[in-house]
Amino acid sequence: MRVSKYFLPTLKETPSEAQIASHRLMLRAGMVRQEAAGIYSWLPLGFKVLQNIEQIVREEQNRAGAVEMLMPTIQPAELWKESGRYDAYGKEMLRITDRHKREMLYGPTNEEMLTAIFRTFCRSYKDLPKLLYHIQWKFRDEVRPRFGVMRGREFLMKDTYSFDVDEAAARRSYNRMFIAYLNTFARMGLKAVPMRAETGPIGGDLSHEFIILADTGESAVFCHKDLVDMPAPGLDVDFDGDLQPLVDERTALYAATEDVHDEAVFMEVPEDKRLSARGIEVGQVFYFGTKYSAPMRANVTLADGSEQPVHMGSYGVGVSRIAGAIIEASHDEDGIIWPMAIAPFKVGIINLRQGDEATGAACEEAYAALVKAGLDPLYDDSENRAGAKFSRMDLIGLPWQLIIGPRGLKEGTVEIKERASGERQNLSLDAALNLLRSKNVSAI
RNA sequence: CGGGGAGUGGCGCAGCCUGGUAGCGCAUCUGCUUUGGGAGCAGAGGGUCGCAAGUUCGAAUCUUGUCUCCCCGACCA
């Protein structure tokens, strides 16, 4: 992609409403634009990031055995009256009346709808287990949206729903998602710690939140330090095997959000291992049994002929929130530092002397070579001066920069800079391209 | 929902107290000179001052109402 053809409205000055780093940087980097409180347009650069996050989430859901589908954003109120949540959900639910005066709502979550789908098609224990998910926009009419996309009213969420014959089976589904989430966040370069959590309005009695530690996090969290750097289980996990030991390993040590925090138990953690910090919730898993299946009569017939409500769980990942969370976890004073897997472009090319024939030719050569290697580099061929291009490339945080100008070309070199470390090397173009290859720069 | 603050060219702000031709920086456009860390000079365009009533000869400025946005807290992927 060439900057001259792209849409990259970066800002030199920070809009006054943005208080935290991720919000400021997303606005400055031209990733999003606020349309109303807690409602954002995703501009091309931000949209690419969102899609990259979404794709990793999708791949790990599929790997764990979940099946993707898509439910609508608008739902009929009747479903929610059936489960009893139509009144319980309160003002956070955006209620809409259509032209026939029919009560509708913009879905804040989809337990009811998928339960209704399930009961229509699945009648037997032989249909179980089932793990279904979708990635869809949600709307929760928060009293006070803030922190940019981290607490928007409209947000993109991956929500998975599990259907099992009994609690033991449901726990196996829970474990699948638990492990899948650890792998998902690890692929994004995030250290997510699973913590015991309150179940909230979703209901149920077993729940973990996945927390990214960050000073700007919204909730206070308490955990054993060893959990923070515990490696993810890995993509070669056998999801059909027994996952319980892997889950136990990561739930044995103390970890709790403030809602369920027990100071006395926390004090049993050795003092040098106690970590009390702030965190951003990027995912949550719930087991809630028959909370919805019972009132909505989502029953299956068992082997003994009896009819029982199906055991359910739900599992959410805040896709749009993660975009902000990654920036909170990975930025410096110059701008964003994207992890390779999330970066909207993996390599940027800077033409230091726009209009100079030799420089332009070298840039084109680099561009063509990277495209041939299967990458989509972002080539800054704008008329800006070098300084402006440097600043902007640092701001948008691409992992690698190829800096090409007449001065280096005279020596037969280009400069290659790694955004994260700031390290630069002067190399021949071929050597620079080889370096990128050796660093395994590729599409996700 | 309680408390605080703000709405003035695209962005960031001043002006308001003490009413009298709407201003600055950045951005944009044109020209010239520049060109390796957000260039310089010269010129140009762009705003019914959130909206509505009121006071006044006259309102960005005073009064009342209203809408929106932001921040702190309580609640949430």
Short mmCIF file of all heavy atoms in Angstrom, two decimals, chain A residues 80 83-93 108-112 140 142 151 155 157 161 197-205 207 209 259 281 284 286-288 291-292 295 314, chain B residues 75-77:
data_model
loop_
_atom_site.label_atom_id
_atom_site.label_comp_id
_atom_site.label_asym_id
_atom_site.label_seq_id
_atom_site.Cartn_x
_atom_site.Cartn_y
_atom_site.Cartn_z
N TRP A 80 -36.11 -12.20 25.37
CA TRP A 80 -35.58 -11.72 26.64
C TRP A 80 -36.65 -11.73 27.73
O TRP A 80 -36.34 -11.80 28.91
CB TRP A 80 -34.98 -10.32 26.47
CG TRP A 80 -33.72 -10.38 25.66
CD1 TRP A 80 -33.61 -10.67 24.33
CD2 TRP A 80 -32.39 -10.19 26.15
NE1 TRP A 80 -32.29 -10.66 23.96
CE2 TRP A 80 -31.52 -10.36 25.05
CE3 TRP A 80 -31.85 -9.87 27.39
CZ2 TRP A 80 -30.14 -10.24 25.17
CZ3 TRP A 80 -30.47 -9.74 27.51
CH2 TRP A 80 -29.63 -9.92 26.41
N SER A 83 -36.52 -15.33 29.13
CA SER A 83 -35.45 -15.65 30.07
C SER A 83 -35.58 -14.83 31.35
O SER A 83 -34.93 -15.12 32.34
CB SER A 83 -34.09 -15.38 29.44
OG SER A 83 -33.86 -13.99 29.33
N GLY A 84 -36.39 -13.79 31.29
CA GLY A 84 -36.56 -12.93 32.46
C GLY A 84 -35.58 -11.78 32.51
O GLY A 84 -35.56 -11.01 33.46
N ARG A 85 -34.75 -11.67 31.46
CA ARG A 85 -33.75 -10.60 31.52
C ARG A 85 -34.20 -9.28 30.89
O ARG A 85 -33.48 -8.29 30.96
CB ARG A 85 -32.45 -11.06 30.83
CG ARG A 85 -31.61 -11.95 31.71
CD ARG A 85 -30.13 -11.82 31.39
NE ARG A 85 -29.77 -12.41 30.10
CZ ARG A 85 -28.52 -12.44 29.64
NH1 ARG A 85 -27.55 -11.90 30.35
NH2 ARG A 85 -28.25 -12.99 28.47
N TYR A 86 -35.39 -9.30 30.28
CA TYR A 86 -35.82 -8.07 29.60
C TYR A 86 -35.94 -6.92 30.59
O TYR A 86 -35.53 -5.79 30.34
CB TYR A 86 -37.14 -8.27 28.86
CG TYR A 86 -37.48 -7.13 27.92
CD1 TYR A 86 -36.66 -6.84 26.84
CD2 TYR A 86 -38.62 -6.35 28.12
CE1 TYR A 86 -36.95 -5.80 25.97
CE2 TYR A 86 -38.92 -5.32 27.24
CZ TYR A 86 -38.08 -5.04 26.17
OH TYR A 86 -38.38 -4.01 25.33
N ASP A 87 -36.50 -7.23 31.74
CA ASP A 87 -36.61 -6.21 32.77
C ASP A 87 -35.31 -6.10 33.58
O ASP A 87 -34.88 -5.03 33.95
CB ASP A 87 -37.78 -6.52 33.71
CG ASP A 87 -39.10 -6.44 32.97
OD1 ASP A 87 -39.24 -5.54 32.13
OD2 ASP A 87 -39.99 -7.28 33.23
N ALA A 88 -34.69 -7.26 33.82
CA ALA A 88 -33.51 -7.29 34.68
C ALA A 88 -32.34 -6.50 34.10
O ALA A 88 -31.55 -5.93 34.83
CB ALA A 88 -33.09 -8.73 34.93
N TYR A 89 -32.23 -6.46 32.79
CA TYR A 89 -31.06 -5.85 32.19
C TYR A 89 -31.04 -4.33 32.35
O TYR A 89 -29.99 -3.70 32.33
CB TYR A 89 -30.95 -6.22 30.71
CG TYR A 89 -29.53 -6.50 30.29
CD1 TYR A 89 -29.04 -7.79 30.28
CD2 TYR A 89 -28.66 -5.47 29.92
CE1 TYR A 89 -27.73 -8.05 29.93
CE2 TYR A 89 -27.34 -5.73 29.57
CZ TYR A 89 -26.89 -7.03 29.57
OH TYR A 89 -25.60 -7.28 29.23
N GLY A 90 -32.20 -3.75 32.48
CA GLY A 90 -32.25 -2.33 32.79
C GLY A 90 -31.88 -1.41 31.63
O GLY A 90 -32.01 -1.77 30.48
N LYS A 91 -31.42 -0.24 32.00
CA LYS A 91 -31.20 0.81 31.00
C LYS A 91 -30.00 0.57 30.11
O LYS A 91 -29.80 1.30 29.14
CB LYS A 91 -31.02 2.16 31.72
CG LYS A 91 -32.30 2.67 32.34
CD LYS A 91 -32.11 4.08 32.89
CE LYS A 91 -33.45 4.68 33.30
NZ LYS A 91 -33.28 6.01 33.89
N GLU A 92 -29.19 -0.44 30.46
CA GLU A 92 -28.04 -0.71 29.60
C GLU A 92 -28.44 -1.32 28.28
O GLU A 92 -27.66 -1.35 27.34
CB GLU A 92 -27.05 -1.62 30.31
CG GLU A 92 -26.17 -0.80 31.19
CD GLU A 92 -24.92 -1.50 31.63
OE1 GLU A 92 -24.51 -2.50 31.01
OE2 GLU A 92 -24.36 -1.00 32.59
N MET A 93 -29.66 -1.82 28.23
CA MET A 93 -30.13 -2.39 26.99
C MET A 93 -30.78 -1.30 26.14
O MET A 93 -31.66 -0.58 26.59
CB MET A 93 -31.14 -3.49 27.29
CG MET A 93 -31.62 -4.20 26.04
SD MET A 93 -32.95 -5.31 26.42
CE MET A 93 -32.06 -6.64 27.14
N PRO A 108 -27.08 -6.86 23.56
CA PRO A 108 -25.90 -6.67 24.40
C PRO A 108 -25.11 -7.97 24.55
O PRO A 108 -23.96 -7.96 24.96
CB PRO A 108 -26.49 -6.23 25.75
CG PRO A 108 -27.85 -6.80 25.79
CD PRO A 108 -28.32 -7.02 24.38
N THR A 109 -25.73 -9.09 24.22
CA THR A 109 -25.15 -10.42 24.29
C THR A 109 -26.17 -11.36 23.68
O THR A 109 -27.26 -10.93 23.29
CB THR A 109 -24.82 -10.79 25.76
OG1 THR A 109 -24.31 -12.12 25.81
CG2 THR A 109 -26.06 -10.71 26.64
N ASN A 110 -25.84 -12.63 23.53
CA ASN A 110 -26.72 -13.49 22.73
C ASN A 110 -27.15 -14.81 23.37
O ASN A 110 -27.51 -15.75 22.66
CB ASN A 110 -26.05 -13.81 21.38
CG ASN A 110 -26.08 -12.61 20.46
OD1 ASN A 110 -25.41 -11.61 20.74
ND2 ASN A 110 -26.84 -12.66 19.40
N GLU A 111 -27.10 -14.92 24.69
CA GLU A 111 -27.49 -16.19 25.33
C GLU A 111 -28.90 -16.61 24.91
O GLU A 111 -29.13 -17.76 24.54
CB GLU A 111 -27.46 -16.07 26.87
CG GLU A 111 -26.08 -16.22 27.49
CD GLU A 111 -25.29 -14.93 27.46
OE1 GLU A 111 -25.86 -13.89 27.05
OE2 GLU A 111 -24.11 -14.96 27.84
N GLU A 112 -29.83 -15.68 24.98
CA GLU A 112 -31.22 -16.02 24.68
C GLU A 112 -31.39 -16.50 23.24
O GLU A 112 -32.05 -17.50 22.98
CB GLU A 112 -32.13 -14.79 24.90
CG GLU A 112 -32.46 -14.51 26.35
CD GLU A 112 -31.34 -13.81 27.11
OE1 GLU A 112 -30.28 -13.55 26.51
OE2 GLU A 112 -31.53 -13.51 28.31
N ARG A 140 -24.12 -1.88 24.53
CA ARG A 140 -24.54 -1.75 25.92
C ARG A 140 -24.50 -0.27 26.24
O ARG A 140 -23.46 0.38 26.12
CB ARG A 140 -23.61 -2.53 26.85
CG ARG A 140 -23.71 -4.03 26.59
CD ARG A 140 -22.88 -4.86 27.53
NE ARG A 140 -22.88 -6.25 27.06
CZ ARG A 140 -22.15 -7.22 27.57
NH1 ARG A 140 -21.35 -6.98 28.61
NH2 ARG A 140 -22.19 -8.44 27.09
N GLU A 142 -23.85 2.03 28.23
CA GLU A 142 -23.11 2.37 29.44
C GLU A 142 -23.46 3.77 29.90
O GLU A 142 -23.64 4.68 29.09
CB GLU A 142 -21.61 2.36 29.15
CG GLU A 142 -21.08 1.04 28.65
CD GLU A 142 -20.72 0.10 29.78
OE1 GLU A 142 -20.67 0.58 30.93
OE2 GLU A 142 -20.50 -1.08 29.51
N ARG A 151 -13.87 1.09 26.54
CA ARG A 151 -15.20 1.02 27.13
C ARG A 151 -16.18 1.79 26.27
O ARG A 151 -16.67 2.85 26.64
CB ARG A 151 -15.23 1.53 28.57
CG ARG A 151 -16.65 1.54 29.13
CD ARG A 151 -16.70 1.64 30.62
NE ARG A 151 -16.00 0.53 31.21
CZ ARG A 151 -16.42 -0.73 31.17
NH1 ARG A 151 -17.56 -1.03 30.59
NH2 ARG A 151 -15.72 -1.68 31.71
N PHE A 155 -19.42 -2.24 20.70
CA PHE A 155 -18.12 -2.91 20.70
C PHE A 155 -18.24 -4.25 20.00
O PHE A 155 -19.32 -4.84 19.92
CB PHE A 155 -17.60 -3.10 22.14
CG PHE A 155 -18.52 -3.89 23.03
CD1 PHE A 155 -18.32 -5.25 23.21
CD2 PHE A 155 -19.59 -3.29 23.66
CE1 PHE A 155 -19.17 -5.99 24.04
CE2 PHE A 155 -20.46 -4.02 24.48
CZ PHE A 155 -20.23 -5.38 24.66
N MET A 157 -17.50 -8.09 19.85
CA MET A 157 -17.22 -9.16 20.79
C MET A 157 -17.33 -10.51 20.09
O MET A 157 -18.19 -10.72 19.25
CB MET A 157 -18.20 -9.11 21.97
CG MET A 157 -17.98 -10.19 23.01
SD MET A 157 -18.84 -9.84 24.56
CE MET A 157 -20.37 -10.73 24.32
N TYR A 161 -20.86 -20.07 22.94
CA TYR A 161 -21.84 -20.66 23.84
C TYR A 161 -21.68 -22.17 23.79
O TYR A 161 -21.57 -22.74 22.71
CB TYR A 161 -23.25 -20.24 23.43
CG TYR A 161 -23.40 -18.73 23.43
CD1 TYR A 161 -23.06 -17.99 22.28
CD2 TYR A 161 -23.78 -18.04 24.57
CE1 TYR A 161 -23.12 -16.61 22.28
CE2 TYR A 161 -23.84 -16.65 24.58
CZ TYR A 161 -23.52 -15.95 23.44
OH TYR A 161 -23.58 -14.58 23.45
N ALA A 197 -13.50 -14.70 39.03
CA ALA A 197 -14.28 -13.48 38.84
C ALA A 197 -15.73 -13.68 39.24
O ALA A 197 -16.22 -14.81 39.35
CB ALA A 197 -14.22 -13.05 37.38
N GLU A 198 -16.37 -12.57 39.43
CA GLU A 198 -17.79 -12.59 39.74
C GLU A 198 -18.56 -12.87 38.45
O GLU A 198 -18.10 -12.53 37.36
CB GLU A 198 -18.19 -11.22 40.28
CG GLU A 198 -19.36 -11.25 41.22
CD GLU A 198 -19.47 -9.90 41.91
OE1 GLU A 198 -19.53 -8.88 41.22
OE2 GLU A 198 -19.48 -9.88 43.14
N THR A 199 -19.71 -13.44 38.59
CA THR A 199 -20.43 -13.83 37.39
C THR A 199 -21.33 -12.72 36.84
O THR A 199 -21.68 -12.75 35.67
CB THR A 199 -21.28 -15.08 37.66
OG1 THR A 199 -22.08 -14.83 38.81
CG2 THR A 199 -20.41 -16.27 37.90
N GLY A 200 -21.68 -11.74 37.65
CA GLY A 200 -22.46 -10.61 37.13
C GLY A 200 -23.81 -11.02 36.60
O GLY A 200 -24.34 -12.07 36.97
N PRO A 201 -24.38 -10.19 35.72
CA PRO A 201 -25.75 -10.43 35.25
C PRO A 201 -25.88 -11.63 34.33
O PRO A 201 -26.98 -12.08 34.03
CB PRO A 201 -26.10 -9.14 34.51
CG PRO A 201 -24.77 -8.58 34.11
CD PRO A 201 -23.80 -9.00 35.16
N ILE A 202 -24.74 -12.17 33.85
CA ILE A 202 -24.83 -13.35 33.00
C ILE A 202 -25.29 -14.53 33.85
O ILE A 202 -25.97 -15.43 33.38
CB ILE A 202 -23.46 -13.69 32.37
CG1 ILE A 202 -22.91 -12.48 31.62
CG2 ILE A 202 -23.55 -14.90 31.47
CD1 ILE A 202 -23.28 -12.35 30.19
N GLY A 203 -24.89 -14.54 35.10
CA GLY A 203 -25.33 -15.60 36.00
C GLY A 203 -24.36 -16.77 36.03
O GLY A 203 -23.40 -16.82 35.27
N GLY A 204 -24.59 -17.71 36.95
CA GLY A 204 -23.74 -18.88 37.03
C GLY A 204 -22.81 -18.84 38.22
O GLY A 204 -22.78 -17.87 38.96
N ASP A 205 -22.04 -19.94 38.39
CA ASP A 205 -21.24 -20.01 39.60
C ASP A 205 -19.77 -20.29 39.33
O ASP A 205 -18.99 -20.45 40.23
CB ASP A 205 -21.80 -21.05 40.55
CG ASP A 205 -21.98 -22.40 39.87
OD1 ASP A 205 -21.42 -22.58 38.76
OD2 ASP A 205 -22.67 -23.25 40.43
N SER A 207 -16.54 -18.81 37.00
CA SER A 207 -16.16 -17.81 36.02
C SER A 207 -14.71 -17.36 36.23
O SER A 207 -14.24 -17.26 37.35
CB SER A 207 -17.07 -16.59 36.13
OG SER A 207 -16.68 -15.60 35.21
N GLU A 209 -11.97 -14.30 34.65
CA GLU A 209 -11.67 -13.19 33.75
C GLU A 209 -10.23 -13.32 33.31
O GLU A 209 -9.38 -13.76 34.09
CB GLU A 209 -11.86 -11.84 34.45
CG GLU A 209 -13.29 -11.49 34.72
CD GLU A 209 -13.45 -10.08 35.31
OE1 GLU A 209 -12.45 -9.35 35.40
OE2 GLU A 209 -14.58 -9.75 35.70
N ASP A 259 -13.65 -7.95 42.99
CA ASP A 259 -15.00 -8.34 43.37
C ASP A 259 -15.02 -9.60 44.24
O ASP A 259 -15.87 -9.75 45.11
CB ASP A 259 -15.86 -8.59 42.13
CG ASP A 259 -15.96 -7.36 41.26
OD1 ASP A 259 -15.91 -6.25 41.83
OD2 ASP A 259 -16.08 -7.49 40.03
N GLU A 281 -9.67 -6.19 31.52
CA GLU A 281 -10.32 -7.47 31.23
C GLU A 281 -10.49 -7.61 29.72
O GLU A 281 -11.16 -6.80 29.10
CB GLU A 281 -11.67 -7.54 31.94
CG GLU A 281 -12.35 -8.87 31.73
CD GLU A 281 -13.81 -8.84 32.13
OE1 GLU A 281 -14.23 -7.90 32.83
OE2 GLU A 281 -14.55 -9.75 31.71
N GLN A 284 -13.73 -13.23 29.27
CA GLN A 284 -14.32 -13.83 30.46
C GLN A 284 -15.03 -15.12 30.07
O GLN A 284 -15.63 -15.21 29.00
CB GLN A 284 -15.31 -12.87 31.14
CG GLN A 284 -15.83 -13.42 32.47
CD GLN A 284 -16.47 -12.36 33.36
OE1 GLN A 284 -16.72 -11.25 32.92
NE2 GLN A 284 -16.72 -12.72 34.61
N PHE A 286 -17.71 -18.23 31.48
CA PHE A 286 -18.74 -18.52 32.48
C PHE A 286 -19.28 -19.93 32.30
O PHE A 286 -19.48 -20.38 31.18
CB PHE A 286 -19.98 -17.64 32.27
CG PHE A 286 -19.79 -16.19 32.44
CD1 PHE A 286 -19.54 -15.38 31.35
CD2 PHE A 286 -19.91 -15.60 33.69
CE1 PHE A 286 -19.40 -14.01 31.49
CE2 PHE A 286 -19.78 -14.23 33.84
CZ PHE A 286 -19.52 -13.44 32.75
N TYR A 287 -19.55 -20.58 33.39
CA TYR A 287 -20.42 -21.75 33.34
C TYR A 287 -21.65 -21.35 34.14
O TYR A 287 -21.54 -20.92 35.28
CB TYR A 287 -19.75 -22.97 33.98
CG TYR A 287 -20.75 -24.06 34.31
CD1 TYR A 287 -21.39 -24.75 33.29
CD2 TYR A 287 -21.09 -24.34 35.63
CE1 TYR A 287 -22.34 -25.72 33.58
CE2 TYR A 287 -22.03 -25.31 35.93
CZ TYR A 287 -22.66 -25.99 34.90
OH TYR A 287 -23.60 -26.93 35.19
N PHE A 288 -22.82 -21.45 33.54
CA PHE A 288 -24.01 -21.04 34.30
C PHE A 288 -25.12 -22.09 34.28
O PHE A 288 -26.28 -21.78 34.58
CB PHE A 288 -24.53 -19.69 33.83
CG PHE A 288 -24.62 -19.54 32.34
CD1 PHE A 288 -25.59 -20.20 31.63
CD2 PHE A 288 -23.72 -18.72 31.66
CE1 PHE A 288 -25.67 -20.07 30.25
CE2 PHE A 288 -23.80 -18.59 30.28
CZ PHE A 288 -24.77 -19.26 29.57
N LYS A 291 -29.36 -21.87 33.74
CA LYS A 291 -29.97 -20.56 33.99
C LYS A 291 -30.88 -20.10 32.83
O LYS A 291 -31.93 -19.51 33.05
CB LYS A 291 -28.89 -19.51 34.22
CG LYS A 291 -29.42 -18.11 34.46
CD LYS A 291 -28.29 -17.13 34.72
CE LYS A 291 -28.72 -15.68 34.55
NZ LYS A 291 -29.45 -15.13 35.68
N TYR A 292 -30.47 -20.37 31.62
CA TYR A 292 -31.31 -19.97 30.47
C TYR A 292 -32.08 -21.15 29.90
O TYR A 292 -33.21 -21.01 29.46
CB TYR A 292 -30.44 -19.33 29.38
CG TYR A 292 -29.72 -18.13 29.91
CD1 TYR A 292 -28.40 -18.21 30.33
CD2 TYR A 292 -30.38 -16.91 30.05
CE1 TYR A 292 -27.75 -17.11 30.86
CE2 TYR A 292 -29.75 -15.82 30.60
CZ TYR A 292 -28.43 -15.92 31.00
OH TYR A 292 -27.82 -14.84 31.55
N PRO A 295 -35.62 -21.85 32.03
CA PRO A 295 -36.80 -21.02 31.72
C PRO A 295 -37.18 -21.03 30.25
O PRO A 295 -38.35 -20.85 29.91
CB PRO A 295 -36.36 -19.62 32.17
CG PRO A 295 -34.88 -19.65 32.23
CD PRO A 295 -34.50 -21.05 32.57
N SER A 314 -20.95 -19.53 28.64
CA SER A 314 -20.67 -18.57 27.58
C SER A 314 -19.30 -17.96 27.82
O SER A 314 -18.80 -17.90 28.94
CB SER A 314 -21.76 -17.50 27.47
OG SER A 314 -21.66 -16.57 28.52
P C B 75 -19.76 -0.81 42.10
OP1 C B 75 -20.10 -1.96 42.97
OP2 C B 75 -18.42 -0.70 41.51
"O5'" C B 75 -20.85 -0.71 40.96
"C5'" C B 75 -21.72 -1.80 40.67
"C4'" C B 75 -22.31 -1.65 39.29
"O4'" C B 75 -22.06 -0.30 38.81
"C3'" C B 75 -21.68 -2.52 38.22
"O3'" C B 75 -22.27 -3.82 38.17
"C2'" C B 75 -21.96 -1.74 36.93
"O2'" C B 75 -23.26 -1.98 36.46
"C1'" C B 75 -21.86 -0.29 37.42
N1 C B 75 -20.55 0.33 37.14
C2 C B 75 -20.31 0.78 35.83
O2 C B 75 -21.20 0.65 34.98
N3 C B 75 -19.11 1.36 35.55
C4 C B 75 -18.18 1.48 36.48
N4 C B 75 -17.03 2.05 36.16
C5 C B 75 -18.40 1.03 37.82
C6 C B 75 -19.58 0.47 38.09
P C B 76 -21.41 -5.05 37.54
OP1 C B 76 -22.06 -6.30 37.99
OP2 C B 76 -19.97 -4.84 37.78
"O5'" C B 76 -21.73 -4.87 36.00
"C5'" C B 76 -21.32 -5.84 35.05
"C4'" C B 76 -21.17 -5.23 33.69
"O4'" C B 76 -21.04 -3.79 33.83
"C3'" C B 76 -19.92 -5.64 32.92
"O3'" C B 76 -20.13 -6.82 32.17
"C2'" C B 76 -19.66 -4.45 32.03
"O2'" C B 76 -20.48 -4.47 30.89
"C1'" C B 76 -20.09 -3.28 32.93
N1 C B 76 -18.97 -2.71 33.71
C2 C B 76 -17.95 -2.02 33.02
O2 C B 76 -18.02 -1.92 31.78
N3 C B 76 -16.93 -1.49 33.72
C4 C B 76 -16.88 -1.62 35.04
N4 C B 76 -15.86 -1.07 35.70
C5 C B 76 -17.88 -2.32 35.77
C6 C B 76 -18.90 -2.83 35.07
P A B 77 -18.97 -7.98 32.10
OP1 A B 77 -19.62 -9.25 32.42
OP2 A B 77 -17.82 -7.52 32.89
"O5'" A B 77 -18.56 -7.97 30.57
"C5'" A B 77 -18.29 -9.20 29.93
"C4'" A B 77 -17.23 -8.99 28.87
"O4'" A B 77 -17.82 -8.29 27.75
"C3'" A B 77 -16.06 -8.11 29.26
"O3'" A B 77 -15.09 -8.79 30.03
"C2'" A B 77 -15.55 -7.65 27.92
"O2'" A B 77 -14.80 -8.67 27.32
"C1'" A B 77 -16.85 -7.47 27.15
N9 A B 77 -17.28 -6.07 27.24
C8 A B 77 -18.18 -5.50 28.10
N7 A B 77 -18.32 -4.20 27.94
C5 A B 77 -17.44 -3.90 26.90
C6 A B 77 -17.12 -2.69 26.27
N6 A B 77 -17.67 -1.52 26.59
N1 A B 77 -16.22 -2.73 25.28
C2 A B 77 -15.66 -3.91 24.97
N3 A B 77 -15.88 -5.11 25.50
C4 A B 77 -16.80 -5.04 26.47
#
